[in-house]
Amino acid sequence: MLFAREPAAFQASVSSEGSPLGHTAAGRTPRKIARTAAPVPPSPRPRALLPVVDQPDIREEHKIIADEIFRMVPAACRGQLQSFYVRYDNPKQRGLAGKTSVIVSGNVSDAEFRALLIHEFFGHVIDLGCLEGHMDAGISNFRDGKDVIYKDDPSVSFYQISWLTDKIQRADAHSNHFVTGYASWDAFEDFAETVTYYVLQEDAFRARATKNATLAKKLQWMETHLFTKQKTVATGLSNWDGKSVPWDATKLPYEWHAKQ
């Protein structure tokens, strides 16, 4: 009988040939066809850390957080950062920064460590090192120590919302014109705290800006000059009560979403 198969032989034919019409003679052990396993794609290699954070004296968890934060800005601006230090010796100040360097304490929670990096890197390195003016525009009333800031530096238009010079507020400035109490310290801390508040407490910032024309101007400046592509990386967990001003944006609770 042509193509007659015992049930077992038939099942063997189906499993080995893939079809009930496999050409296997009755009573004969079906030939097994070797199957090639589908190639398994190699696991992606972990991305190398930025050299500025991949230092032996920085803890691994802090390297990972810093690498993510620093990669959130364009490479040309990121390259402005030449020195990065994490201190584990109980420094008096939790963070310091200039045009090309950032120093932060490692003796804080991961959430606070990230917020400090946003304040120091987004707020100071980008402000003083990436946003620049030109000598031909003339010297503004704002100085970072001995360094002059030119009139066409984009940051000047932010400073002028609340400041006459880097340390003297406008006559009509009020405490509620600043996102935090610390922001009223000088023009540079105003910038850094406003950036941090925008990144980590955007909803509260927007709520306050609807009732405060000065904060609305600062919010508009941030979205015009820094955050032109809307991407929410965190959800602020601090609720604005309609009147009080928090002291420090790096201390406010938030939930982090961004992953590179």
Side-chain angles (χ1 to χ4, degrees), residues 30-57:
R31 178 172 57 89
K32 293 184 178 180
I33 298 177
R35 291 182 178 275
T36 303
V40 177
S43 299
R45 297 178 63 183
R47 181 174 60 186
L49 295 169
L50 293 169
V52 75
V53 306
D54 194 12
Q55 303 178 51
D57 56 347

Side-chain angles (χ1 to χ4, degrees), residues 199-253:
V199 174
L200 299 179
Q201 308 293 332
E202 183 182 341
D203 290 344
F205 196 169
R206 292 190 183 282
R208 292 172 63 185
T210 61
K211 301 179 181 297
N212 187 309
T214 300
L215 290 184
K217 290 179 181 178
K218 293 181 180 182
L219 175 62
Q220 182 180 30
W221 191 97
M222 289 289 153
E223 296 188 326
T224 299
H225 296 278
L226 286 188
F227 303 102
T228 55
K229 292 183 179 179
Q230 193 68 21
K231 179 183 178 183
T232 300
V233 297
T235 298
L237 302 178
S238 65
N239 295 317
W240 182 54
D241 61 9
K243 54 183 179 180
S244 62
V245 177
W247 172 251
D248 185 341
T250 67
K251 292 282 192 177
L252 298 175

Side-chain angles (χ1 to χ4, degrees), residues 27-257:
R28 183 176 174 183
T29 303
R31 178 172 57 89
K32 293 184 178 180
I33 298 177
R35 291 182 178 275
T36 303
V40 177
S43 299
R45 297 178 63 183
R47 181 174 60 186
L49 295 169
L50 293 169
V52 75
V53 306
D54 194 12
Q55 303 178 51
D57 56 347
I58 298 178
R59 294 175 186 167
E60 195 66 23
E61 64 270 24
H62 292 151
K63 291 181 184 181
I64 293 171
I65 294 172
D67 189 79
E68 180 184 23
I69 294 300
F70 296 160
R71 288 183 187 274
M72 292 175 69
V73 303
C77 184
R78 184 169 67 235
Q80 183 71 23
L81 181 64
Q82 298 175 13
S83 303
F84 174 55
Y85 304 96
V86 180
R87 295 185 58 177
Y88 301 101
D89 58 345
N90 297 313
K92 291 182 179 180
Q93 293 179 291
R94 294 177 303 135
L96 292 168
K99 286 184 176 181
T100 62
S101 62
V102 168
I103 305 172
V104 291
S105 171
N107 301 323
V108 295
S109 68
D110 286 354
E112 187 173 341
F113 183 81
R114 182 183 294 109
L116 287 171
L117 287 178
I118 292 170
H119 176 104
E120 303 299 345
F121 182 60
F122 285 18
H124 291 309
V125 175
I126 290 178
D127 176 22
L128 300 173
C130 299
L131 300 177
E132 297 180 318
H134 304 87
M135 185 183 299
D136 293 346
I139 298 173
S140 74
N141 292 331
F142 301 91
R143 292 175 180 267
D144 175 30
K146 295 181 180 180
D147 294 337
V148 300
I149 297 175
Y150 297 113
K151 290 180 179 179
D152 62 342
D153 184 320
S155 297
V156 169
S157 60
F158 175 87
Y159 304 152
Q160 289 174 333
I161 296 173
S162 293
W163 302 86
L164 296 176
T165 72
D166 46 286
K167 296 188 181 299
I168 300 176
Q169 294 181 10
R170 292 169 52 98
D172 58 354
H174 188 276
S175 61
N176 66 10
H177 292 173
F178 302 92
V179 294
T180 64
Y182 188 45
S184 65
W185 182 261
D186 63 29
F188 307 121
E189 296 304 339
D190 188 8
F191 187 98
E193 281 289 277
T194 303
V195 169
T196 307
Y197 198 67
Y198 180 89
V199 174
L200 299 179
Q201 308 293 332
E202 183 182 341
D203 290 344
F205 196 169
R206 292 190 183 282
R208 292 172 63 185
T210 61
K211 301 179 181 297
N212 187 309
T214 300
L215 290 184
K217 290 179 181 178
K218 293 181 180 182
L219 175 62
Q220 182 180 30
W221 191 97
M222 289 289 153
E223 296 188 326
T224 299
H225 296 278
L226 286 188
F227 303 102
T228 55
K229 292 183 179 179
Q230 193 68 21
K231 179 183 178 183
T232 300
V233 297
T235 298
L237 302 178
S238 65
N239 295 317
W240 182 54
D241 61 9
K243 54 183 179 180
S244 62
V245 177
W247 172 251
D248 185 341
T250 67
K251 292 282 192 177
L252 298 175
Y254 64 89
E255 181 180 351
W256 186 249
H257 306 306

